[in-house]
Amino acid sequence: MSAGPVPRIDRRAIADAIPLFLPAIPFGFVLGLAVTEGEMPVAIGWATSPLIFAGAAQLAVITLAGTASIWAVVMAGFVINTRHVMYSAALAPAFQRQPRWMRWFGSFFLIDQVFALAVLQSDRPPDQFRRYYLTCGLFFYFNWQWATALGMLVGPTVPDSWQLGYAPPIMFVGLVLIGVNRVPQAIAAFVGGVVGLAAAGLQDRLGILVGAVAGVTAGALAEVLSARPRTDATAEATS
Amino acid sequence: MNAWSALAIVVMVGAMTYVMRAGVIVALAGRPIPEPVERVLRNVGPAVLAALAINLAAGGDGGPGLEFAEVAALVVAGGVALWRRNLIWTLLAGMATLWLLSSLT
């Protein structure tokens, strides 16, 4: 399609990415603060940004480290990030038309926001898709690094009376409720929260896993029930 | 926590995350994920984040570790999240509730 050299950076990708990045700044800030208050050495806490590059999992790992066994912390990060399998599956057809290096390299940047942007572009010609995707991915990657570093710099100057240590659970509540858009997901979240509360006293933060398993099971049951032909009972439950 | 344990956690979670992002793209090629598996995956995020939020809020002591101001902050934050669908407003509303109530008690 395109004749002659094409610009390497897709300006439209930047324009699309900025509104999605702005809400990530306070998140990066909370994360940076959590790094300075957590039990991990700060350099390693910060290294979650370049190495894991997934805000919710980073926040979980940083706040849980030192309060539970290594395996419990790793498990929490793992479970939170399983949603990326869905993104990977949804974009697999578009990546089939990409060179091999792009499949290995590009998928590293497949965060929530990049997925949300790229999935809308997956019908574009392969070279355009690749430029758009990599522009978005690298934009988020580099900006995420300074956002968390800034939180670490400013964090220690914030007085204790601001109680910012309580920001992570609030962020997680927000992520849950903003992300829920189907009834089974709402049921999964509700059951996950209630069972998680009942099990919160378990040692090694096992309550997270117990709550998550209960929530996923409840959500799956709700899916099965709502997939059946509607009876009075299910119609009532989903209305 | 010593540096090696911390590094081990970060490297393991980072590697697992990469595998989950690249796995289907690199290995499964164009084949779709079975529908039942995808249905389960869709519910993992809400379930685990809800359990995590509660667990972090309660601390290591379980339910009794929750204070009224903290519970109220979570409830208000949840309401604002549903209403505005915006993480910044959610954070501000939750923290403001926490500050207000803990200054009163």
Side-chain angles (χ1 to χ4, degrees):
Chain A
M1 267 298 255
S2 55
V6 283
R8 300 185 76 90
I9 290 183
D10 187 332
R11 288 195 183 186
R12 204 180 118 207
I14 302 269
D16 290 348
I18 287 173
L20 284 187
F21 182 68
L22 292 181
I25 295 174
F27 195 118
F29 207 77
V30 169
L31 186 65
L33 269 168
V35 169
T36 61
E37 291 182 355
E39 305 243 345
M40 277 190 175
V42 287
I44 296 174
W46 177 79
T48 57
S49 280
L51 293 178
I52 300 177
F53 189 41
Q58 286 177 249
L59 190 55
V61 162
I62 286 164
T63 45
L64 291 177
T67 72
S69 72
I70 290 181
W71 298 112
V73 177
V74 170
M75 185 55 73
F78 171 78
V79 175
I80 290 172
N81 276 344
T82 49
R83 69 185 185 285
H84 292 100
V85 175
M86 269 189 308
Y87 302 163
S88 189
L91 284 179
F95 271 85
Q96 276 315 97
R97 298 187 288 272
Q98 295 295 332
R100 198 170 162 192
W101 67 265
M102 174 65 182
R103 293 205 284 270
W104 286 89
F105 176 69
S107 47
F108 177 77
F109 303 101
L110 191 50
I111 60 172
D112 305 74
Q113 292 93 333
V114 171
F115 171 74
L117 292 170
V119 76
L120 301 175
Q121 308 290 331
S122 51
D123 292 334
R124 287 171 82 178
D127 59 331
Q128 288 183 25
F129 174 80
R130 183 164 64 247
R131 207 161 49 244
Y132 185 94
Y133 181 95
L134 288 179
T135 304
C136 287
L138 291 167
F139 176 87
F140 277 102
Y141 190 73
F142 288 112
N143 286 309
W144 185 237
Q145 312 309 325
W146 68 250
T148 43
L150 195 67
M152 288 169 62
L153 280 179
V154 181
T157 66
V158 175
D160 284 350
S161 61
W162 288 28
Q163 304 183 69
L164 283 182
Y166 205 69
I170 291 176
M171 296 294 260
F172 284 120
V173 165
L175 286 173
V176 174
L177 292 172
I178 291 171
V180 164
N181 48 23
R182 297 167 61 253
V183 173
Q185 286 183 328
I187 292 171
F190 180 75
V191 173
V194 171
V195 174
L197 179 61
L202 292 180
Q203 66 166 27
D204 211 13
R205 301 276 181 177
L206 261 178
I208 299 170
L209 200 59
V210 172
V213 170
V216 169
T217 309
L221 280 176
E223 301 262 13
V224 171
L225 289 178
S226 64
R228 276 189 195 163
R230 284 187 155 217
T231 63
D232 286 346
T234 52
E236 208 172 330
T238 52
S239 61
Chain B
M1 150 163 287
N2 73 54
W4 288 112
S5 310
L7 199 60
I9 291 173
V10 174
V11 168
M12 275 191 279
V13 175
M16 285 170 171
T17 304
Y18 176 70
V19 167
M20 287 185 282
R21 282 173 179 159
V24 184
I25 285 175
V26 169
L28 260 184
R31 279 172 286 170
I33 287 193
E35 176 62 22
V37 175
E38 202 180 331
R39 272 205 300 256
V40 169
L41 285 176
R42 275 201 293 256
N43 297 328
V44 171
V48 70
L49 290 177
L52 182 68
I54 293 288
N55 193 286
L56 287 179
D61 310 327
L66 281 169
E67 286 173 24
F68 173 70
E70 295 175 344
V71 176
L74 290 184
V75 171
V76 169
V80 171
L82 284 175
W83 175 40
R84 307 296 310 191
R85 300 257 157 190
N86 179 313
L87 209 49
I88 298 177
W89 287 116
T90 302
L91 181 65
L92 290 178
M95 292 310 292
T97 307
L98 185 66
W99 292 330
L100 193 69
L101 290 179
S102 50
S103 73
L104 290 179
T105 49

